[in-house]
Amino acid sequence: GTTMAASKPKEQKGETTASINKTGSSSTSGTAGMSCSKAADIVAGYGFDSVKAGSCSGGVYSFNASRAGKSYVVKVNSASGELTEVRKL
């Protein structure tokens, strides 16, 4: 009988490869909804001019715009492009 030596499992010391991929952790743009400029185009399409971005984060973007010489705050759903609020200032 041939006695086979039990091969020891190779110890892999120092091979704790904790590869932490931080890709896409803070970049939620593109996944949540449309771009800020696309939303601004939608606001402009409703007859507003001087459209300025107020906040373009989260599910609702807000813009300052004017129509017929009056100032408004216009909020746009970033996913659907719908105007969720038009408030005269």
Side-chain angles (χ1 to χ4, degrees):
T2 326
T3 332
M4 304 260 293
S7 57
K8 281 184 190 166
K10 291 184 189 124
E11 283 188 52
Q12 296 177 330
K13 277 184 181 160
E15 281 218 20
T16 31
T17 330
S19 55
I20 302 160
N21 288 338
K22 287 200 173 178
T23 45
S25 57
S26 61
S27 63
T28 45
S29 60
T31 50
M34 65 190 72
S35 68
C36 201
S37 58
K38 177 90 170 68
D41 287 345
I42 290 170
V43 174
Y46 280 92
F48 291 95
D49 44 39
S50 309
V51 181
K52 292 181 191 69
S55 156
C56 281
S57 59
V60 177
Y61 297 167
S62 77
F63 297 89
N64 294 316
S66 61
R67 183 157 66 180
K70 295 179 176 65
S71 294
Y72 293 85
V73 169
V74 182
K75 294 190 178 175
V76 179
N77 181 311
S78 65
S80 67
E82 286 181 56
L83 272 59
T84 59
E85 185 184 336
V86 178
R87 193 174 74 240
K88 199 192 292 186
L89 291 178

Coordinates of all heavy atoms in Angstrom, one line a residue:
G1 N 0.8 -1.2 0.0 CA 0.0 0.0 0.0 C 0.8 1.3 0.0 O 1.8 1.3 0.7
T2 N 0.5 2.2 -0.8 CA 1.2 3.4 -0.8 C 0.5 4.4 0.1 O -0.7 4.7 0.0 CB 1.2 4.0 -2.3 OG1 1.2 3.0 -3.2 CG2 2.3 5.0 -2.5
T3 N 1.3 5.0 1.0 CA 0.7 6.0 2.0 C 0.9 7.3 1.4 O 2.0 7.8 1.1 CB 1.5 5.9 3.3 OG1 2.0 4.6 3.5 CG2 0.5 6.3 4.4
M4 N -0.3 8.0 1.0 CA -0.3 9.3 0.5 C -0.2 10.3 1.6 O -1.0 10.2 2.5 CB -1.5 9.6 -0.4 CG -1.7 8.6 -1.5 SD -1.2 9.1 -3.1 CE -2.2 10.4 -3.6
A5 N 0.7 11.2 1.5 CA 0.8 12.2 2.5 C -0.3 13.2 2.4 O -0.6 13.7 1.3 CB 2.1 13.0 2.4
A6 N -1.1 13.4 3.5 CA -2.2 14.4 3.4 C -1.7 15.7 3.1 O -0.9 16.3 3.9 CB -3.0 14.3 4.7
S7 N -2.0 16.2 1.9 CA -1.5 17.5 1.5 C -2.2 18.6 2.4 O -3.4 18.7 2.4 CB -1.8 17.8 0.0 OG -3.1 17.7 -0.2
K8 N -1.3 19.4 3.0 CA -1.8 20.5 3.9 C -2.5 21.5 3.0 O -1.9 21.9 2.0 CB -0.7 21.1 4.7 CG -0.3 20.3 5.9 CD 0.8 21.0 6.6 CE 1.4 20.2 7.7 NZ 2.6 20.8 8.2
P9 N -3.6 22.1 3.5 CA -4.2 23.2 2.7 C -3.3 24.4 2.8 O -2.8 24.7 3.9 CB -5.5 23.5 3.4 CG -5.4 22.8 4.8 CD -4.4 21.7 4.6
K10 N -3.0 25.0 1.7 CA -2.1 26.2 1.7 C -2.7 27.3 2.5 O -3.9 27.8 2.3 CB -1.9 26.7 0.3 CG -1.1 25.7 -0.5 CD -0.8 26.3 -1.9 CE -0.2 25.2 -2.8 NZ -0.9 25.0 -4.0
E11 N -2.0 27.8 3.5 CA -2.5 28.9 4.3 C -2.2 30.2 3.5 O -1.1 30.4 3.1 CB -1.7 29.0 5.6 CG -2.2 27.9 6.6 CD -1.6 28.1 8.0 OE1 -1.7 29.3 8.5 OE2 -1.1 27.2 8.5
Q12 N -3.3 31.0 3.4 CA -3.2 32.2 2.6 C -3.2 33.4 3.6 O -4.2 34.1 3.8 CB -4.4 32.3 1.6 CG -4.3 31.2 0.6 CD -5.5 31.3 -0.3 OE1 -6.6 31.7 0.1 NE2 -5.3 30.8 -1.6
K13 N -2.0 33.5 4.2 CA -1.9 34.6 5.2 C -1.7 35.9 4.5 O -1.0 36.0 3.5 CB -0.8 34.4 6.2 CG -1.2 33.5 7.3 CD -0.1 33.3 8.3 CE -0.5 32.4 9.4 NZ 0.6 31.8 10.1
G14 N -2.4 37.0 5.0 CA -2.3 38.3 4.4 C -3.1 38.4 3.1 O -2.8 39.4 2.4
E15 N -3.9 37.5 2.8 CA -4.7 37.6 1.6 C -6.2 38.0 1.9 O -7.1 37.5 1.2 CB -4.6 36.3 0.8 CG -3.3 36.2 0.0 CD -3.5 35.6 -1.4 OE1 -4.6 35.6 -1.9 OE2 -2.5 35.1 -1.9
T16 N -6.4 38.8 2.9 CA -7.7 39.3 3.1 C -8.0 40.5 2.2 O -7.7 41.6 2.6 CB -7.9 39.7 4.6 OG1 -6.6 40.1 5.1 CG2 -8.4 38.5 5.4
T17 N -8.4 40.2 1.0 CA -8.6 41.2 0.0 C -10.0 41.8 0.2 O -11.0 41.3 -0.3 CB -8.5 40.7 -1.4 OG1 -7.6 39.6 -1.4 CG2 -8.0 41.7 -2.3
A18 N -10.1 42.8 1.1 CA -11.3 43.5 1.3 C -11.5 44.6 0.2 O -11.1 45.8 0.5 CB -11.4 44.1 2.7
S19 N -11.9 44.3 -0.9 CA -12.1 45.2 -2.0 C -13.4 46.0 -1.8 O -14.5 45.4 -2.1 CB -12.0 44.6 -3.3 OG -13.0 43.5 -3.4
I20 N -13.3 47.2 -1.3 CA -14.5 48.0 -1.1 C -14.7 48.9 -2.3 O -13.9 49.8 -2.6 CB -14.4 48.8 0.2 CG1 -14.1 47.9 1.4 CG2 -15.6 49.7 0.4 CD1 -13.5 48.6 2.5
N21 N -15.7 48.5 -3.1 CA -16.0 49.3 -4.3 C -17.0 50.4 -3.9 O -18.1 50.2 -3.6 CB -16.6 48.4 -5.4 CG -15.5 47.5 -6.0 OD1 -14.3 47.8 -5.9 ND2 -16.0 46.4 -6.6
K22 N -16.5 51.7 -4.0 CA -17.3 52.8 -3.7 C -17.9 53.4 -5.0 O -17.9 54.7 -5.1 CB -16.6 53.8 -2.8 CG -16.4 53.3 -1.4 CD -16.1 54.5 -0.5 CE -16.1 54.0 1.0 NZ -15.8 55.1 1.9
T23 N -18.2 52.6 -5.9 CA -18.7 53.1 -7.2 C -20.2 53.3 -7.1 O -20.9 52.3 -6.7 CB -18.4 52.2 -8.4 OG1 -18.6 50.9 -8.0 CG2 -16.9 52.4 -8.8
G24 N -20.7 54.5 -7.4 CA -22.1 54.7 -7.4 C -22.7 54.9 -6.0 O -23.9 54.8 -5.9
S25 N -21.9 55.2 -5.0 CA -22.5 55.4 -3.7 C -23.1 56.7 -3.5 O -24.2 56.9 -2.9 CB -21.4 55.2 -2.6 OG -20.4 56.1 -2.8
S26 N -22.5 57.7 -4.1 CA -23.0 59.1 -4.0 C -23.6 59.6 -5.3 O -24.4 60.6 -5.3 CB -21.9 60.1 -3.6 OG -20.9 60.1 -4.5
S27 N -23.4 58.9 -6.4 CA -23.9 59.4 -7.7 C -25.3 58.8 -8.0 O -25.4 57.7 -8.5 CB -22.9 59.0 -8.8 OG -22.8 57.6 -8.9
T28 N -26.3 59.5 -7.5 CA -27.6 59.0 -7.8 C -28.2 59.7 -9.0 O -29.3 59.5 -9.4 CB -28.5 59.4 -6.6 OG1 -28.3 60.7 -6.2 CG2 -28.3 58.4 -5.4
S29 N -27.4 60.5 -9.7 CA -27.9 61.2 -10.9 C -28.0 60.2 -12.0 O -27.2 59.3 -12.2 CB -26.9 62.3 -11.3 OG -25.7 61.7 -11.6
G30 N -29.1 60.3 -12.7 CA -29.3 59.3 -13.8 C -30.2 58.2 -13.4 O -31.0 57.7 -14.2
T31 N -30.1 57.7 -12.2 CA -30.9 56.6 -11.7 C -32.3 57.1 -11.2 O -33.3 56.5 -11.5 CB -30.3 55.8 -10.6 OG1 -29.8 56.7 -9.6 CG2 -29.1 55.0 -11.2
A32 N -32.3 58.2 -10.5 CA -33.5 58.7 -9.9 C -34.5 59.3 -11.0 O -35.6 59.0 -11.0 CB -33.3 59.7 -8.8
G33 N -33.9 60.1 -11.8 CA -34.7 60.8 -12.8 C -33.9 61.5 -13.9 O -32.8 61.1 -14.2
M34 N -34.5 62.5 -14.4 CA -33.9 63.2 -15.5 C -32.9 64.2 -15.1 O -32.7 64.5 -13.9 CB -35.0 63.9 -16.4 CG -35.7 65.0 -15.6 SD -37.1 65.6 -16.5 CE -38.2 64.3 -16.3
S35 N -32.1 64.7 -16.0 CA -31.1 65.7 -15.6 C -31.8 67.1 -15.3 O -33.0 67.3 -15.6 CB -30.2 66.0 -16.8 OG -30.9 66.6 -17.9
C36 N -31.1 67.9 -14.7 CA -31.6 69.2 -14.3 C -31.9 70.0 -15.5 O -33.0 70.7 -15.5 CB -30.5 69.9 -13.5 SG -31.1 71.2 -12.4
S37 N -31.1 70.0 -16.5 CA -31.4 70.8 -17.7 C -32.6 70.3 -18.5 O -33.3 71.1 -19.0 CB -30.2 70.9 -18.6 OG -29.8 69.6 -19.0
K38 N -32.8 69.0 -18.4 CA -34.0 68.4 -19.1 C -35.3 68.9 -18.4 O -36.2 69.3 -19.0 CB -33.9 66.9 -19.1 CG -35.1 66.2 -19.6 CD -34.9 65.9 -21.1 CE -36.0 65.0 -21.7 NZ -37.4 65.6 -21.7
A39 N -35.2 68.9 -17.0 CA -36.4 69.4 -16.3 C -36.6 70.9 -16.5 O -37.7 71.3 -16.6 CB -36.1 69.1 -14.8
A40 N -35.5 71.6 -16.7 CA -35.7 73.1 -16.9 C -36.3 73.3 -18.3 O -37.1 74.2 -18.5 CB -34.3 73.7 -16.9
D41 N -36.0 72.4 -19.3 CA -36.6 72.5 -20.6 C -38.1 72.3 -20.5 O -38.9 72.9 -21.2 CB -36.0 71.5 -21.5 CG -34.6 71.8 -22.0 OD1 -34.2 73.0 -21.8 OD2 -33.9 71.0 -22.5
I42 N -38.5 71.3 -19.6 CA -39.9 71.1 -19.5 C -40.6 72.3 -18.9 O -41.7 72.7 -19.4 CB -40.1 69.8 -18.6 CG1 -39.6 68.6 -19.3 CG2 -41.5 69.7 -18.1 CD1 -39.5 67.3 -18.5
V43 N -40.0 72.9 -17.9 CA -40.6 74.1 -17.3 C -40.7 75.2 -18.4 O -41.8 75.9 -18.5 CB -39.7 74.6 -16.1 CG1 -40.2 76.0 -15.6 CG2 -39.7 73.6 -15.0
A44 N -39.7 75.4 -19.2 CA -39.7 76.4 -20.2 C -40.8 76.1 -21.2 O -41.4 77.0 -21.8 CB -38.3 76.5 -20.9
G45 N -41.1 74.8 -21.4 CA -42.1 74.3 -22.4 C -43.5 74.7 -21.9 O -44.4 74.7 -22.7
Y46 N -43.6 75.0 -20.6 CA -44.9 75.5 -20.1 C -45.1 77.0 -20.2 O -46.0 77.5 -19.5 CB -45.1 75.0 -18.7 CG -45.5 73.5 -18.5 CD1 -44.6 72.5 -18.4 CD2 -46.9 73.2 -18.5 CE1 -44.9 71.2 -18.3 CE2 -47.3 71.8 -18.4 CZ -46.3 70.9 -18.4 OH -46.7 69.5 -18.3
G47 N -44.2 77.6 -20.9 CA -44.4 79.1 -21.1 C -43.6 79.9 -20.1 O -43.8 81.1 -20.1
F48 N -42.8 79.3 -19.3 CA -42.0 80.1 -18.4 C -40.7 80.5 -19.0 O -40.1 79.7 -19.9 CB -41.7 79.2 -17.1 CG -42.9 79.0 -16.2 CD1 -43.6 77.8 -16.4 CD2 -43.3 79.9 -15.3 CE1 -44.7 77.5 -15.6 CE2 -44.4 79.6 -14.5 CZ -45.1 78.5 -14.6
D49 N -40.2 81.6 -18.6 CA -38.8 82.0 -19.1 C -38.0 82.3 -17.9 O -38.4 82.3 -16.8 CB -38.9 83.1 -20.1 CG -39.8 84.2 -19.7 OD1 -39.9 84.6 -18.5 OD2 -40.5 84.8 -20.6
S50 N -36.7 82.6 -18.2 CA -35.7 82.9 -17.1 C -35.7 81.8 -16.1 O -35.7 82.0 -14.9 CB -36.0 84.2 -16.4 OG -36.1 85.3 -17.3
V51 N -35.7 80.5 -16.6 CA -35.8 79.4 -15.7 C -34.4 79.2 -15.1 O -33.4 79.0 -15.8 CB -36.2 78.1 -16.5 CG1 -36.3 76.9 -15.6 CG2 -37.5 78.3 -17.2
K52 N -34.4 79.2 -13.8 CA -33.1 79.0 -13.0 C -33.3 77.8 -12.1 O -34.3 77.8 -11.3 CB -32.7 80.3 -12.3 CG -32.3 81.4 -13.2 CD -31.9 82.6 -12.3 CE -31.7 83.9 -13.2 NZ -33.0 84.4 -13.7
A53 N -32.3 76.9 -12.0 CA -32.4 75.8 -11.1 C -32.3 76.2 -9.7 O -31.3 77.0 -9.4 CB -31.4 74.8 -11.5
G54 N -33.2 75.8 -8.9 CA -33.0 76.0 -7.4 C -32.4 74.8 -6.7 O -31.4 74.9 -6.1
S55 N -33.1 73.7 -6.9 CA -32.6 72.4 -6.3 C -32.8 71.3 -7.3 O -33.9 71.1 -7.8 CB -33.3 72.2 -5.0 OG -33.2 70.8 -4.7
C56 N -31.7 70.5 -7.6 CA -31.9 69.4 -8.5 C -31.4 68.1 -7.8 O -30.6 67.4 -8.3 CB -31.1 69.7 -9.8 SG -31.9 70.8 -10.9
S57 N -31.9 67.9 -6.6 CA -31.6 66.7 -5.9 C -32.9 66.0 -5.5 O -33.9 66.7 -5.2 CB -30.7 66.9 -4.8 OG -31.3 67.8 -3.8
G58 N -32.9 64.7 -5.4 CA -34.1 64.0 -4.9 C -35.1 63.8 -6.0 O -34.8 63.9 -7.2
G59 N -36.3 63.5 -5.6 CA -37.4 63.2 -6.5 C -38.1 64.4 -7.1 O -38.8 64.3 -8.1
V60 N -37.9 65.6 -6.5 CA -38.5 66.8 -7.0 C -37.5 67.9 -7.2 O -36.8 68.2 -6.2 CB -39.7 67.2 -6.0 CG1 -40.3 68.5 -6.5 CG2 -40.7 66.2 -5.9
Y61 N -37.4 68.4 -8.4 CA -36.5 69.5 -8.6 C -37.3 70.8 -8.5 O -38.5 70.9 -8.9 CB -35.9 69.4 -10.1 CG -35.1 68.2 -10.3 CD1 -34.7 67.9 -11.6 CD2 -34.6 67.4 -9.3 CE1 -34.0 66.8 -11.9 CE2 -33.8 66.3 -9.6 CZ -33.5 66.0 -10.9 OH -32.7 64.9 -11.2
S62 N -36.6 71.9 -8.0 CA -37.3 73.1 -7.9 C -36.6 74.2 -8.8 O -35.4 74.2 -8.9 CB -37.5 73.6 -6.5 OG -36.3 74.1 -6.0
F63 N -37.4 75.0 -9.4 CA -36.8 76.1 -10.3 C -37.5 77.4 -10.0 O -38.6 77.5 -9.5 CB -37.1 75.7 -11.8 CG -36.5 74.5 -12.2 CD1 -37.1 73.3 -12.1 CD2 -35.2 74.5 -12.8 CE1 -36.5 72.1 -12.5 CE2 -34.6 73.4 -13.2 CZ -35.2 72.1 -13.1
N64 N -36.7 78.5 -10.2 CA -37.3 79.8 -10.2 C -37.5 80.2 -11.6 O -36.5 80.1 -12.4 CB -36.3 80.8 -9.5 CG -36.2 80.4 -8.0 OD1 -37.1 80.1 -7.3 ND2 -34.9 80.4 -7.5
A65 N -38.7 80.6 -11.9 CA -38.9 81.0 -13.3 C -39.9 82.2 -13.3 O -40.5 82.6 -12.3 CB -39.6 79.8 -14.0
S66 N -40.1 82.8 -14.5 CA -41.0 83.9 -14.5 C -41.9 83.7 -15.7 O -41.6 83.0 -16.7 CB -40.3 85.2 -14.6 OG -39.5 85.3 -15.8
R67 N -43.1 84.2 -15.6 CA -44.1 84.2 -16.7 C -44.9 85.5 -16.7 O -45.4 85.8 -15.6 CB -45.0 83.0 -16.6 CG -45.9 82.8 -17.8 CD -46.4 81.4 -18.0 NE -47.2 80.9 -16.9 CZ -47.8 79.7 -16.8 NH1 -47.5 78.9 -17.8 NH2 -48.5 79.4 -15.8
A68 N -45.0 86.2 -17.8 CA -45.7 87.4 -17.8 C -45.3 88.4 -16.8 O -46.1 89.1 -16.2 CB -47.2 87.2 -17.7
G69 N -44.0 88.4 -16.6 CA -43.4 89.4 -15.6 C -43.5 89.1 -14.2 O -43.1 89.8 -13.3
K70 N -44.1 87.9 -13.9 CA -44.3 87.5 -12.5 C -43.3 86.4 -12.2 O -43.1 85.5 -13.0 CB -45.7 87.1 -12.2 CG -46.7 88.3 -12.3 CD -48.1 87.8 -12.1 CE -49.1 89.0 -12.1 NZ -49.2 89.6 -13.4
S71 N -42.8 86.3 -10.9 CA -41.9 85.3 -10.5 C -42.6 84.1 -9.9 O -43.6 84.3 -9.2 CB -40.9 85.8 -9.5 OG -40.1 86.8 -10.2
Y72 N -42.2 82.9 -10.2 CA -42.8 81.7 -9.7 C -41.7 80.7 -9.2 O -40.6 80.8 -9.7 CB -43.6 80.9 -10.8 CG -44.8 81.7 -11.3 CD1 -44.7 82.6 -12.3 CD2 -46.0 81.4 -10.8 CE1 -45.8 83.3 -12.8 CE2 -47.2 82.1 -11.3 CZ -47.0 83.0 -12.3 OH -48.2 83.7 -12.7
V73 N -42.1 79.8 -8.3 CA -41.3 78.7 -8.0 C -42.1 77.5 -8.6 O -43.3 77.3 -8.4 CB -41.2 78.4 -6.4 CG1 -40.7 77.1 -6.1 CG2 -40.4 79.5 -5.8
V74 N -41.3 76.8 -9.4 CA -41.9 75.6 -10.2 C -41.2 74.4 -9.7 O -40.0 74.3 -9.7 CB -41.8 75.8 -11.7 CG1 -42.5 74.7 -12.4 CG2 -42.4 77.1 -12.1
K75 N -42.0 73.4 -9.3 CA -41.4 72.1 -8.9 C -41.8 71.0 -9.9 O -42.9 70.9 -10.3 CB -41.9 71.7 -7.5 CG -41.3 72.7 -6.5 CD -41.6 72.3 -5.0 CE -40.9 73.3 -4.1 NZ -41.2 73.0 -2.7
V76 N -40.8 70.2 -10.2 CA -40.9 69.2 -11.2 C -40.6 67.8 -10.7 O -39.5 67.7 -10.0 CB -40.0 69.5 -12.5 CG1 -40.1 68.4 -13.5 CG2 -40.3 70.8 -13.0
N77 N -41.4 66.8 -10.9 CA -41.1 65.5 -10.5 C -40.0 65.0 -11.4 O -40.2 64.9 -12.7 CB -42.4 64.6 -10.7 CG -42.2 63.2 -10.3 OD1 -41.2 62.5 -10.7 ND2 -43.1 62.7 -9.5
S78 N -38.9 64.6 -10.9 CA -37.7 64.3 -11.7 C -37.9 62.9 -12.4 O -37.2 62.7 -13.4 CB -36.5 64.2 -10.8 OG -36.5 63.1 -9.9
A79 N -38.8 62.1 -12.0 CA -39.0 60.8 -12.6 C -40.0 60.9 -13.8 O -39.7 60.4 -14.9 CB -39.5 59.8 -11.6
S80 N -41.0 61.7 -13.6 CA -42.1 61.7 -14.6 C -42.0 63.0 -15.5 O -42.6 63.0 -16.6 CB -43.5 61.6 -14.0 OG -43.7 62.8 -13.2
G81 N -41.4 64.1 -15.0 CA -41.4 65.3 -15.7 C -42.6 66.2 -15.4 O -42.8 67.2 -16.1
E82 N -43.5 65.7 -14.6 CA -44.7 66.5 -14.3 C -44.4 67.6 -13.4 O -43.6 67.5 -12.5 CB -45.8 65.6 -13.6 CG -46.4 64.6 -14.5 CD -47.4 63.7 -13.8 OE1 -48.4 64.3 -13.2 OE2 -47.3 62.5 -13.7
L83 N -45.1 68.7 -13.6 CA -45.0 69.9 -12.7 C -45.9 69.5 -11.4 O -47.1 69.3 -11.6 CB -45.5 71.2 -13.3 CG -44.5 72.0 -14.1 CD1 -43.9 71.2 -15.2 CD2 -45.1 73.2 -14.7
T84 N -45.2 69.5 -10.3 CA -46.0 69.1 -9.1 C -46.5 70.4 -8.3 O -47.4 70.3 -7.5 CB -45.1 68.3 -8.1 OG1 -43.9 69.0 -7.8 CG2 -44.7 67.0 -8.8
E85 N -45.8 71.5 -8.6 CA -46.2 72.7 -7.9 C -45.8 73.9 -8.7 O -44.7 74.0 -9.2 CB -45.6 72.8 -6.5 CG -46.1 74.0 -5.6 CD -45.3 74.0 -4.3 OE1 -44.8 73.0 -3.8 OE2 -45.2 75.1 -3.7
V86 N -46.7 74.9 -8.8 CA -46.4 76.2 -9.4 C -46.9 77.2 -8.4 O -48.1 77.4 -8.2 CB -47.1 76.4 -10.8 CG1 -46.8 77.8 -11.3 CG2 -46.6 75.3 -11.8
R87 N -46.0 77.9 -7.8 CA -46.3 78.9 -6.8 C -45.8 80.3 -7.2 O -44.7 80.5 -7.4 CB -45.8 78.5 -5.4 CG -46.3 79.2 -4.3 CD -45.8 78.7 -2.9 NE -44.5 79.0 -2.7 CZ -43.5 78.2 -2.5 NH1 -43.6 76.9 -2.6 NH2 -42.3 78.6 -2.3
K88 N -46.8 81.3 -7.2 CA -46.4 82.6 -7.5 C -45.6 83.2 -6.3 O -46.1 83.0 -5.1 CB -47.6 83.5 -7.8 CG -47.3 84.7 -8.5 CD -48.5 85.7 -8.6 CE -49.6 85.2 -9.4 NZ -50.7 86.2 -9.6
L89 N -44.6 83.9 -6.5 CA -43.8 84.5 -5.5 C -44.2 85.9 -5.2 O -44.7 86.6 -6.1 CB -42.3 84.6 -5.8 CG -41.6 83.2 -5.9 CD1 -40.2 83.3 -6.3 CD2 -41.7 82.5 -4.5

